[in-house]
């Protein structure tokens, strides 16, 4: 399985979700609001029943590159190999770890400034999940 996804880190994520859903005829799918209620900790926008885009409230100003590409791997070994290659000369934003929606995932910027979210196949956390942010 090799799936490439797109994530956007923006300020005003709730407004952005409404805009993108309207502009691209998408629907808000699985989503989690931040504890402060001021944006999405995670949101998935669906097109024809399939995930098409993720929108997240940026912790700080989104910076020069608010876009993050996601890649889903078949195995932890394949993810680790890609992580090591992409991290060389890059900047790690989140080392490989377990997340509520992925058994193993990492975030980094490669040496070209491209943001990556690497993960094993994702799942939705339980209904009782509350983000720490």
């Amino acid at each position: 399985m090799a799936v490439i996804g797109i994530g956007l880190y923006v300020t005003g994520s709730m407004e952005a979700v409404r805009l993108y859903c309207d502009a691209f005829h998408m629907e808000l799918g699985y989503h989690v609001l931040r504890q402060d209620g001021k944006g999405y900790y995670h949101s998935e926008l669906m097109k024809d029943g399939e995930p098409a885009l993720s929108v997240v409230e940026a912790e700080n100003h989104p910076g020069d590159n608010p876009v993050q590409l996601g890649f889903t791997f078949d195995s932890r070994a394949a993810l680790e190999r890609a992580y090591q290659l992409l991290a060389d000369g890059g900047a790690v934003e989140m080392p490989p770890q377990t997340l509520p929606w992925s058994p193993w995932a990492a975030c980094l910027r490669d040496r070209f400034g491209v943001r990556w979210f690497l993960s094993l196949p994702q799942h939705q956390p339980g209904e009782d999940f509350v983000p720490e942010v």
Side-chain angles (χ1 to χ4, degrees):
M1 171 192 301
V3 177
I4 295 180
I6 300 170
L8 302 177
Y9 288 76
V10 301
T11 52
S13 58
M14 295 176 92
E15 182 180 351
V17 163
R18 287 190 299 271
L19 172 64
Y20 301 147
C21 283
D22 192 30
F24 303 116
H25 303 284
M26 292 191 279
E27 295 179 349
L28 177 61
Y30 175 74
H31 60 281
V32 178
L33 289 174
R34 293 167 47 102
Q35 281 186 348
D36 62 11
K38 298 179 182 176
Y40 289 107
Y41 180 76
H42 175 77
S43 72
E44 296 174 5
L45 280 58
M46 311 295 281
K47 178 74 173 174
D48 301 324
E50 296 292 325
L53 187 63
S54 173
V55 179
V56 175
E57 187 71 29
E59 289 297 316
N60 301 304
H61 186 274
D64 294 332
N65 184 5
V67 176
Q68 180 183 63
L69 300 176
F71 199 92
T72 303
F73 294 86
D74 287 331
S75 70
R76 185 168 170 167
L79 184 153
E80 294 282 350
R81 180 181 180 283
Y83 172 81
Q84 292 300 324
L85 290 169
L86 294 168
D88 185 19
V92 173
E93 296 176 353
M94 181 186 78
Q97 59 188 269
T98 301
L99 296 175
W101 50 82
S102 177
W104 203 241
C107 296
L108 58 102
R109 288 182 190 257
D110 66 23
R111 65 182 172 270
F112 305 106
V114 177
R115 296 177 73 173
W116 292 97
F117 176 74
L118 310 177
S119 70
L120 292 182
Q122 298 183 34
H123 56 273
Q124 291 184 9
E127 292 292 326
D128 60 344
F129 172 72
V130 176
E132 295 178 15
V133 177

